[in-house]
């Protein structure tokens, strides 16, 4: 069954256009209801929350506060005070504690505007949050779901960190509730989908985000910090963490069923990250294309022939066995090396002789054309397998109909990270997390989850063979450098996603087989061809440094 990721995948406006329509002249200006669920918050923090909403730079909105049976007399007094003082405020109450889902649905039942947004009872809105969100919505009339960046604050309102989120990233949402605050939903769609669902208390926002983005016509990311999420002890919505994470797991499992992903969900860390294990529905032939000249060098104090040890590592340490090896060997490759390869690869090996001047792109294109697998792995010869199920992991992602490439995390000989995806910014491609410690989680734990990225290295990447050929493969204009960058950008032009997974890991003994360096001509060429993208802000990795 073909998987789908929701209507929003086909038509996505990842960022607000640079020229937003002014509020006074917007051709379509939606209304907004702010929903505030309340249950015995510290009164001083609750007051700060409501004041941050009421003191917005744009004042045409409504607030619905739903109290879930708070016992605090101070909180009750504040509810009365704000409802009497401001006609925009409506207060509804449960007589006794009924849970976060019932409370949110109570607030939602009184919402009268086109869009709704939830503000927790101890968090803060930036003074321009509502204005900026409404500007973005008026500029994108098909938007059904909008989310902003957020910052984390302590009980004294001190800013302790920022979460600069990626543009719409469905794979990351399957791994982490990254959209979180501030999220703005089209109310009509929320009601059509059954509002907040009973049984998902504590993860009700995650469940709703998954359901809404499956059906949304357009998802908009507003890349500005407009919400301040208060971090303190005892934060998980009045429920135990076990209950919350069990609800999140169930929400993901049901999401996978709805969009046609066959697999199971695992919580991967205690902070709320998850992994969707995709079940292989069959065993397609995977062709591993490896260019080589039979180079040798030292790794961990031992001399090795790189391509020989690469194939030996794959055959000995990989759990996926329906493989074809296509080794594209320079004419200078020693005969003894080719003999060893034949012994390791047996009937699964085909050797393609390369008798021209070195051109990495040409070599890989020849290898793919000589391959017969439905999927191809572009692989350098200086690798060693770490994750036994690396091929199944990449295959599970590459099989998605809208995924154009799947890549992995690569490590240097010393264990530091060599590659965790590409980042394109400041006119130059970089490796995410280059040189970082192997256990680095990255910003907002980005290195621990499946996620979209701008590109992945051809040192290890899987594609559908037809997709590789369909975009013209690697351009021969890049004999040494940037061939994979060009390939990734061509893939993205087709509307397909590129995904990097931390669950497929290999060593990459980079610089062992050829000298480091960038050809000036190739750098100039890639900038002339893709300068608009390379000079812009990377849509998926917005940290100031390329490393985590």
């Amino acid at each position: 069954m073909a998987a789908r990721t929701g209507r929003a995948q086909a038509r996505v406006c990842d960022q607000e256009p640079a020229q937003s329509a002014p509020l006074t002249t917007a051709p379509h200006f939606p209304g907004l209801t702010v929903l505030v669920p309340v249950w015995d918050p510290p009164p001083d923090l609750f007051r700060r929350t409501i004041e941050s909403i009421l003191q917005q730079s744009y004042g045409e909105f409504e607030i619905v506060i739903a109290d879930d049976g708070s016992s605090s007399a101070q909180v009750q007094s504040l509810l009365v005070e704000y409802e009497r003082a401001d006609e925009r405020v409506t207060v509804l109450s449960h007589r006794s504690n009924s849970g976060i889902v019932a409370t949110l649905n109570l607030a939602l039942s009184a919402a009268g505007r086109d869009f709704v947004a939830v503000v927790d009872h101890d968090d803060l809105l930036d003074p321009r949050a509502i204005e900026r969100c409404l500007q973005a919505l008026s500029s994108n009339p098909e938007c059904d779901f909008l989310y902003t960046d957020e910052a984390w604050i302590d009980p004294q309102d001190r800013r302790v960190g920022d979460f600069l989120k990626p543009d719409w990233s469905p794979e990351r949402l399957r791994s982490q509730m990254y959209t979180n605050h501030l999220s703005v939903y089209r109310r009509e769609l929320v009601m059509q989908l059954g509002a907040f669902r009973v049984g998902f208390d504590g993860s009700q926002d995650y469940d709703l985000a998954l359901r809404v983005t499956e059906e949304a016509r357009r998802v908009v990311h507003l890349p500005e910090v407009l919400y301040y999420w208060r971090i303190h002890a005892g934060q998980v919505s009045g429920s135990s963490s076990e209950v919350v994470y069990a609800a999140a797991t169930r929400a993901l499992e049901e999401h996978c069923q709805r969009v046609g992903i066959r697999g199971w969900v695992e919580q991967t860390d205690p902070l709320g990250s998850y992994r969707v294990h995709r079940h292989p529905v069959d065993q397609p032939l995977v062709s591993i294309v490896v260019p080589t000249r039979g180079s040798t060098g030292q790794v961990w104090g031992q001399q090795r022939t790189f391509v020989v040890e690469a194939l030996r590592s794959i055959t000995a340490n990989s759990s996926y066995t329906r493989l074809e090896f296509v080794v594209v060997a320079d004419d200078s490759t020693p005969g003894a090396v080719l003999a060893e390869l034949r012994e390791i690869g047996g009937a699964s090996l085909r050797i393609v002789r390369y008798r021209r001047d070195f051109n990495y792109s040409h070599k890989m294109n020849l290898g793919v054309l000589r391959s017969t697998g439905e999927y191809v792995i572009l692989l350098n010869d200086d690798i060693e397998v770490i994750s036994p199920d690396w091929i199944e992991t990449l295959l599970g992602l590459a099989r998605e109909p809208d995924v154009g490439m799947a890549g992995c995390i690569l490590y240097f000989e010393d264990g530091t990270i060599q590659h965790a995806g590409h980042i394109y910014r400041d006119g130059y491609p970089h490796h995410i997390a280059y040189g970082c410690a192997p256990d680095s989680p990255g910003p907002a734990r980005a290195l621990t989850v499946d996620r979209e990225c701008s590109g992945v290295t051809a040192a290890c990447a899987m594609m559908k063979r037809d997709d590789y050929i369909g975009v013209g493969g690697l351009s021969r204009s890049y004999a040494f450098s940037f061939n994979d960058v060009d390939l990734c950008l061509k893939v993205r032009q087709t509307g397909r996603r590129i995904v990097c997974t931390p669950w497929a890991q290999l060593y990459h003994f980079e610089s062992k087989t050829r000298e480091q360096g960038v050809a000036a001509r190739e750098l100039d060429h890639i900038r002339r061809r893709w300068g608009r993208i390379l000079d812009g802000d990377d849509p998926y990795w917005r940290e100031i440094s390329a490393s985590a």
Side-chain angles (χ1 to χ4, degrees):
M1 178 177 177
R4 62 183 176 90
T5 54
R7 295 176 189 168
Q9 195 55 45
R11 298 190 65 190
V12 172
C13 177
D14 289 321
Q15 296 192 16
E16 178 198 5
Q19 298 296 323
S20 297
L23 293 179
T24 56
T25 61
H28 174 72
F29 191 65
L32 178 69
T33 303
V34 180
L35 310 179
V36 184
V38 175
W39 182 50
D40 277 334
D44 61 326
L45 298 185
F46 179 51
R47 181 181 288 277
R48 282 183 250 170
T49 297
I50 301 303
E51 291 294 333
S52 78
I53 302 171
L54 293 176
Q55 295 173 8
Q56 288 289 299
S57 59
Y58 181 78
E60 293 298 321
F61 58 88
E62 65 179 18
I63 306 173
V64 179
I65 303 174
D67 176 50
D68 194 20
S70 293
S71 59
S72 167
Q74 287 180 279
V75 171
Q76 293 296 333
S77 177
L78 286 171
L79 293 173
V80 172
E81 173 189 335
Y82 282 115
E83 187 172 35
R84 288 176 177 173
D86 198 309
E87 64 181 6
R88 295 173 296 178
V89 178
T90 299
V91 176
L92 305 173
S93 297
H94 285 138
R95 292 186 177 180
S96 59
N97 184 253
S98 302
I100 184 64
V101 168
T103 303
L104 282 167
N105 282 335
L106 178 64
L108 187 61
S109 68
R113 304 296 177 90
D114 297 333
F115 287 86
V116 294
V118 177
V119 175
D120 291 343
H121 63 197
D122 54 0
D123 295 343
L124 301 175
L125 283 187
D126 183 88
R128 295 191 66 215
I130 291 177
E131 179 180 0
R132 296 296 294 128
C133 288
L134 292 179
Q135 284 177 329
L137 291 169
S138 65
S139 298
N140 296 281
E142 288 193 328
C143 175
D144 291 322
F145 178 64
L146 175 147
Y147 63 97
T148 76
D149 295 344
E150 63 189 90
W152 302 308
I153 57 175
D154 66 12
Q156 288 73 45
D157 293 353
R158 292 175 299 205
R159 193 163 171 168
V160 296
D162 290 359
F163 185 7
L164 305 181
K165 301 172 186 176
D167 286 350
W168 172 229
S169 183
E171 209 58 57
R172 185 159 180 179
L173 189 62
R174 278 190 273 271
S175 302
Q176 181 186 62
M177 176 43 174
Y178 85 88
T179 54
N180 210 11
H181 306 298
L182 178 65
S183 291
V184 182
Y185 303 87
R186 188 176 294 276
R187 182 178 60 85
E188 182 181 13
L189 180 57
V190 171
M191 300 306 292
Q192 288 175 358
L193 295 175
F196 295 94
R197 291 202 293 171
V198 175
F200 291 88
D201 291 67
S203 290
Q204 72 287 332
D205 51 350
Y206 195 10
D207 174 60
L208 182 62
L210 289 166
R211 289 183 289 127
V212 166
T213 55
E214 290 166 22
E215 301 297 334
R217 294 168 299 169
R218 181 166 291 186
V219 174
V220 172
H221 170 219
L222 181 55
E224 300 176 20
V225 173
L226 298 175
Y227 191 99
Y228 300 92
W229 187 23
R230 197 175 303 279
I231 304 298
H232 56 81
Q235 187 152 16
V236 188
S237 302
S239 304
S240 71
S241 59
E242 291 81 6
V243 170
V244 170
Y245 298 139
T249 299
R250 191 166 67 257
L252 276 168
E253 289 171 343
E254 294 188 13
H255 162 77
C256 289
Q257 292 172 1
R258 290 191 299 268
V259 301
I261 295 175
R262 297 178 59 177
W264 58 280
V265 177
E266 174 192 12
Q267 184 184 343
T268 55
D269 71 42
L271 299 176
S273 297
Y274 305 88
R275 179 186 179 187
V276 175
H277 295 260
R278 287 163 166 84
H279 294 316
V281 294
D282 55 19
Q283 295 279 310
L285 180 65
V286 175
S287 298
I288 301 180
V289 180
V290 185
T292 192
R293 60 183 182 187
S295 299
T296 61
Q298 280 205 341
V299 175
W300 300 314
Q302 300 291 322
Q303 190 74 9
R304 66 166 60 191
T305 302
F306 290 106
V307 67
V308 169
E309 296 309 318
L311 261 65
R312 199 189 309 279
S313 172
I314 295 168
T315 56
N317 301 323
S318 301
S319 52
Y320 196 89
T321 57
R322 191 150 189 258
L323 300 173
E324 171 187 70
F325 297 100
V326 182
V327 175
V328 185
D330 288 3
D331 236 14
S332 59
T333 305
V337 171
L338 299 179
E340 279 193 271
L341 293 176
R342 292 187 179 98
E343 182 178 345
I344 296 168
S348 299
L349 172 72
R350 61 179 61 196
I351 294 175
V352 179
R353 303 307 296 265
Y354 188 78
R355 295 181 168 89
R356 303 188 182 194
D357 292 338
F358 179 84
N359 186 303
Y360 179 87
S361 298
H362 191 203
K363 291 180 74 171
M364 296 303 286
N365 290 345
L366 287 177
V368 171
L369 290 173
R370 291 289 298 273
S371 70
T372 60
E374 183 181 352
Y375 295 84
V376 293
I377 296 177
L378 314 178
L379 195 71
N380 280 13
D381 68 353
D382 50 354
I383 65 93
E384 183 166 309
V385 172
I386 298 175
S387 309
D389 62 346
W390 67 287
I391 297 174
E392 295 96 316
T393 299
L394 292 175
L395 183 59
L397 293 166
R399 297 187 76 141
E400 298 287 346
D402 64 338
V403 170
M405 296 179 74
C408 61
I409 293 187
L410 301 176
Y411 296 90
F412 285 116
E413 179 183 354
D414 64 2
T416 58
I417 296 174
Q418 185 263 327
H419 173 83
H422 283 165
I423 175 173
Y424 304 147
R425 187 169 51 208
D426 303 324
Y428 200 89
H430 307 269
H431 292 293
I432 291 174
Y434 188 91
C436 287
D439 58 351
S440 173
R445 306 196 65 77
L447 298 180
T448 70
V449 297
D450 293 337
R451 55 187 162 77
E452 279 76 9
C453 55
S454 289
V456 293
T457 177
C460 181
M462 180 183 284
M463 297 182 67
K464 301 176 185 70
R465 184 176 183 274
D466 287 348
D467 284 352
Y468 182 92
I469 294 172
V471 298
L474 293 169
S475 171
R476 291 171 62 180
S477 298
Y478 307 100
F480 292 91
S481 303
F482 307 123
N483 33 59
D484 50 3
V485 174
D486 180 73
L487 177 64
C488 291
L489 291 172
K490 289 189 295 186
V491 167
R492 283 175 52 195
Q493 274 198 329
T494 70
R496 291 175 173 85
R497 298 182 289 138
I498 297 177
V499 180
C500 183
T501 176
W503 309 112
Q505 302 180 357
L506 296 88
Y507 285 108
H508 180 206
F509 308 117
E510 190 183 43
S511 81
K512 298 291 183 179
T513 58
R514 65 181 177 89
E515 294 182 2
Q516 290 277 43
V518 173
R521 183 188 63 80
E522 293 179 353
L523 178 59
D524 179 67
H525 193 282
I526 197 77
R527 285 175 172 166
R528 281 189 286 108
R529 185 170 189 182
W530 300 107
R532 182 181 60 84
I533 294 175
L534 297 178
D535 290 337
D537 292 328
D538 192 281
Y540 299 113
W541 194 274
R542 297 177 52 230
E543 294 302 303
I544 294 174
S545 170
S547 60

